[in-house]
Amino acid sequence: MSDPKKTRLLYIDDDQALGRLLQKQLERLGYAVRHVADGASGLAAIAQGGIDVVVLDHYMPGQDGLATLAAIRALEDPPPVIYATGTNDGKVAVAALKAGAADYVLKDLSGEFPTLLHAAVEAALEAVQLRRAKQESEQELRTSRDNYRTLAAERAVLLREVNHRVGNSLQLVASFLHLHAASSGLEEVKMALAEANSRVMAVAQVHRRLFSTEKIQRVPLDDYLSGLLGDLSRSTESSRAMDDLELKAERIDVDADHAVALGMIVTELVINAVKYAYPDGTGPVRVVLRRLNEARAELTVEDDGIGLAETKPKGSGLGHTIVSAMASKLDGSFRYETRQPGLAARLEFAIENRDG
């Protein structure tokens, strides 16, 4: 409830005697009351400012209460208006409320009018406070939303810049490894540096494809793996053809961390299959992604090559270590299965991040 000592009330009524009487009664309740006799004077008083609430009589000469109410409501941020009249005609009350009056009070001769008016004034002031509090809250919400959008835009710019620099750094590291491999006179060093270069390039490809868009919260694996395998095909054209590289993937969305780990695993397994499955040429390498249930999925990289027993990779075994580490990150299990012919590498993994 408002503090009556601070409430400034304007009473518009051509009945001078009632106006003086009501002014004294309301002042006893603590209101600061100003009485004017017509609508024009009332509008002038409101224009001067400082009016918290208006009590407006219906029957007045010249400009009646409804016309005055319309003029008050047309003002910018008008005070609430309590409509008062001595008539029992319900049409007057309906018309006043439709025109924007905060409340309607019937004048009477029993002495209840000041009490009823006091209650109506307090209710109107409370409604104004609630409305203004709502407007302030909405403005604060709009301001917060605008600030969030500004910060999000700045973050997107910084993220693009950081990702661009990371991508350039990865390319630079790969170039250094390539130069060192080319300049080394030891075959084992050349091979180790060449493998390191391939893995750095794989990371660069994963990074470029993932972070070329701002919307990286959820990554569709079917689209992502399709692009990644295309990158692998183009990057190895000079050393080993991948014409028979196939992808069959269901639509599964994962977070960016999952996508990075899966991209590294696919890169290692595909390159390994291309290098070792067909020592006398090339053959099909199939990548299959399917959902097992709502929580888990399976990734398979398979070939029709010589199989695990006959495969004798010349590398350091780091690729298997990388795959195992990434599988653990995905809360997954990894295994090889011998096929007739060929080999299948199967990874079962959690779709959602167990830590998120």
Side-chain angles (χ1 to χ4, degrees), residues 294-354:
E294 289 300 315
R296 300 186 72 80
E298 183 183 67
L299 173 73
T300 304
V301 178
E302 60 185 24
D303 60 68
D304 298 334
I306 60 176
L308 185 62
E310 300 297 328
T311 301
K312 297 179 180 180
K314 300 178 182 179
S316 62
L318 181 59
H320 181 75
T321 302
I322 291 174
V323 171
S324 298
M326 293 296 101
S328 177
K329 180 180 177 64
L330 295 171
D331 189 21
S333 59
F334 175 74
R335 69 186 187 278
Y336 284 106
E337 290 183 359
T338 301
R339 303 173 67 250
Q340 295 296 329
L343 184 68
R346 299 190 186 279
L347 169 72
E348 181 184 325
F349 64 93
I351 295 174
E352 294 294 333
N353 191 329
R354 59 184 171 179

Side-chain angles (χ1 to χ4, degrees), residues 12-209:
I12 307 174
D13 192 342
D14 63 329
D15 189 333
Q16 296 289 345
L18 180 60
R20 287 192 296 271
L21 176 62
L22 188 63
Q23 183 174 3
K24 291 180 181 179
Q25 292 176 322
L26 291 175
E27 285 176 347
R28 289 194 191 101
L29 295 172
Y31 294 101
V33 182
R34 180 177 178 182
H35 174 228
V36 296
D38 56 73
S41 300
L43 289 169
I46 294 172
Q48 293 174 4
I51 301 300
D52 296 313
V53 63
V54 176
V55 178
L56 176 61
D57 187 35
H58 176 61
Y59 290 109
M60 293 185 296
Q63 181 173 290
D64 68 6
L66 289 176
T68 304
L69 175 59
I72 293 174
R73 296 294 299 167
L75 299 174
E76 183 177 355
D77 194 21
V81 177
I82 310 299
Y83 208 73
T85 182
T87 180
N88 285 319
D89 187 355
K91 294 181 180 179
V92 174
V94 172
L97 295 174
K98 284 185 176 180
D103 206 344
Y104 176 89
V105 179
L106 182 65
K107 294 181 183 179
D108 62 11
L109 301 177
S110 64
E112 294 296 324
F113 179 48
T115 302
L116 296 174
L117 186 59
H118 172 60
V121 166
E122 290 299 298
L125 291 172
E126 185 175 357
V128 169
Q129 291 173 354
L130 291 174
R131 174 175 56 84
R132 288 176 177 170
K134 179 175 179 291
Q135 291 174 342
E136 290 175 0
S137 297
E138 291 174 346
Q139 181 58 45
E140 290 177 359
L141 181 61
R142 287 192 293 268
T143 301
S144 298
R145 188 183 298 117
D146 291 342
N147 290 339
Y148 172 79
R149 289 172 178 168
T150 300
L151 291 174
E154 293 175 353
R155 177 183 177 278
V157 172
L158 291 174
L159 183 61
R160 286 196 298 270
E161 178 64 20
V162 169
N163 288 329
H164 178 70
R165 291 179 181 273
V166 170
N168 287 346
S169 297
L170 290 170
Q171 293 288 344
L172 187 61
V173 171
S175 297
F176 287 155
L177 290 171
H178 177 74
L179 290 174
H180 282 297
S183 62
S184 176
L186 299 175
E187 190 61 31
E188 290 184 356
V189 173
K190 283 181 178 289
M191 181 176 295
L193 292 174
E195 287 185 359
N197 176 72
S198 297
R199 291 186 175 102
V200 171
M201 288 300 297
V203 173
Q205 289 166 350
V206 171
H207 182 274
R208 178 176 60 81
R209 186 156 296 278

